[in-house]
Amino acid sequence: MVSEKKEPSLLDGFKAFLMRGNVIDLAVAVVIGAAFTKIVNSVVEGVINPLVGAIGTQDLNRYSSCLSGPCKYDQETGKVVEGIPIMWGNVLSATLSFLITAAVVYFLMVLPMAKYLARQAARKAEKEGVAEAMEVSELEVLKEIRDELVAQRSGTAGPASREDGPGTTGPQPPQG
């Protein structure tokens, strides 16, 4: 009688996919990233833009150059009516947001985690070194016991034999 393999249902496969650790971690990272983006944008708009505004305009997005001819804007809608504007202020603002995000992630998350993992690895290596030293000393003791037993069987004093008293050399091999 041949046993039939039951294929997992579509729902079981989906549940297994969702319960994988990396899917949950990714979902958490996306949510945290979205919240973090709001913080970084607030820093750029509330701190960086006013600092830049001390030199020029407070809104980096207003920095632009006109590619052909003078750019003219509709006062009501703010759209370009004439000319081709290059909005390099948008790129500058996005670049600053990226650099701030990268710096915060590196200094507050990556660097401390790297230091923590290095300490953990050092502790693990130290424990393995102690365990390895214990294994080596145990191995040496076992080699000495082996040598002693071989010496007793052959009837000669081994390298690890000791004298118990005058005229005696350790335990005598059994006669048999």
Side-chain angles (χ1 to χ4, degrees), residues 83-101:
I84 302 171
I86 303 294
M87 306 299 286
W88 58 271
N90 291 342
V91 175
L92 181 61
S93 179
T95 302
L96 287 173
S97 294
F98 171 77
L99 290 175
I100 291 170
T101 303

Side-chain angles (χ1 to χ4, degrees), residues 119-132:
R119 283 194 309 261
Q120 291 296 93
R123 286 182 190 146
K124 184 177 180 182
E126 184 179 308
K127 286 181 182 177
E128 287 177 358
V130 168
E132 188 175 303

Side-chain angles (χ1 to χ4, degrees), residues 20-170:
R20 283 191 206 161
N22 54 1
V23 173
I24 302 298
D25 292 343
L26 182 60
V28 169
V30 167
V31 171
I32 297 290
F36 187 67
T37 300
K38 290 180 183 178
I39 293 171
V40 169
N41 288 338
S42 296
V43 168
V44 169
E45 291 172 11
V47 176
I48 303 295
N49 285 352
L51 290 175
V52 173
I55 301 168
T57 179
Q58 284 193 356
D59 187 7
L60 287 179
N61 296 332
R62 290 191 181 190
Y63 284 112
S64 65
S65 299
C66 203
L67 189 59
S68 68
C71 290
K72 294 182 182 175
Y73 297 91
D74 185 3
Q75 295 296 335
E76 293 177 12
T77 62
K79 292 188 179 187
V80 178
V81 178
E82 190 177 316
I84 302 171
I86 303 294
M87 306 299 286
W88 58 271
N90 291 342
V91 175
L92 181 61
S93 179
T95 302
L96 287 173
S97 294
F98 171 77
L99 290 175
I100 291 170
T101 303
V104 168
V105 167
Y106 180 76
F107 289 112
L108 295 182
M109 295 176 194
V110 173
L111 192 61
M113 183 58 75
K115 287 182 180 181
Y116 171 76
L117 291 176
R119 283 194 309 261
Q120 291 296 93
R123 286 182 190 146
K124 184 177 180 182
E126 184 179 308
K127 286 181 182 177
E128 287 177 358
V130 168
E132 188 175 303
M134 288 176 59
E135 288 176 12
V136 169
S137 64
E138 288 176 4
L139 185 60
E140 292 299 321
V141 169
L142 290 173
K143 283 180 182 179
E144 288 177 13
I145 292 171
R146 179 201 62 200
D147 293 344
E148 186 69 32
L149 290 172
V150 167
Q152 286 177 0
R153 283 206 174 140
S154 65
T156 61
S161 68
R162 58 182 174 85
E163 290 192 11
D164 291 330
T168 61
T169 57

